[in-house]
Amino acid sequence: MKDCIFCKIAAGELPSKKAYEDEQVLAFYDIHPQAPVHILIIPKTHCASGAAEITPENSAVVARCFEVAAKLAGELGVAGGFRIVTNNGAKAGQTVPHLHFHLLAGRDLHLTMG
Ligand code: AMP
Ligand code: ZN
């Protein structure tokens, strides 16, 4: 989608520090990390602006994003303690309207939901 920064990152038009990539999914390090491990996992195509637009037609890539999260958590040695977050809508703190999942780990996460 035009003017979408995550579409541009997925297309290689903007730089990112990649953690994983395949045909459907890109994972890259968040530019403002909220935890020692903070990776964004995105569908490469702009199939949804956020979780509210997940449908039977586009949900396969959502499953793929979670597979990638599990793989990265294992590789990074945080499989015993990580969180996957998606913010939907400005009221929930979403700033980039391209479906994405935050993989957070490496600090104590169990006391907060934020
Ligand atoms: P959200 O607020 O849930 O929409 O998450 C968007 C995330 O994208 C934030 O955590 C930002 O720090 C992150 N972000 C924005 N621009 C970039 C970028 N160019 N490279 C990496 N992460 C980014
Ligand atoms: Zn996009």
Side-chain angles (χ1 to χ4, degrees):
M1 183 176 276
K2 199 172 170 290
D3 295 332
C4 171
I5 62 167
F6 285 1
C7 281
K8 288 182 179 171
I9 287 173
E13 294 165 9
L14 284 176
S16 68
K17 185 182 170 197
K18 290 179 189 177
Y20 175 85
E21 182 171 21
D22 65 25
E23 282 186 4
Q24 299 177 69
V25 171
L26 176 67
F28 56 98
Y29 285 84
D30 197 292
I31 203 165
H32 293 125
Q34 305 298 313
V37 173
H38 188 171
I39 293 172
L40 300 172
I41 304 170
I42 71 168
K44 283 187 169 178
T45 61
H46 196 106
C47 60
S49 295
E53 295 176 8
I54 296 171
T55 65
E57 286 69 40
N58 64 22
S59 62
V61 74
V62 175
R64 185 73 194 130
C65 287
F66 276 72
E67 290 172 24
V68 170
K71 173 182 162 59
L72 287 171
E75 289 173 0
L76 295 167
V78 297
F82 66 89
R83 178 173 288 171
I84 297 170
V85 173
T86 190
N87 299 316
N88 187 87
K91 281 186 183 172
Q94 186 178 12
T95 57
V96 180
H98 176 129
L99 181 64
H100 57 279
F101 299 94
H102 299 253
L103 172 64
L104 297 155
R107 65 170 167 83
D108 187 357
L109 296 162
H110 81 279
L111 293 175
T112 66
M113 285 297 290

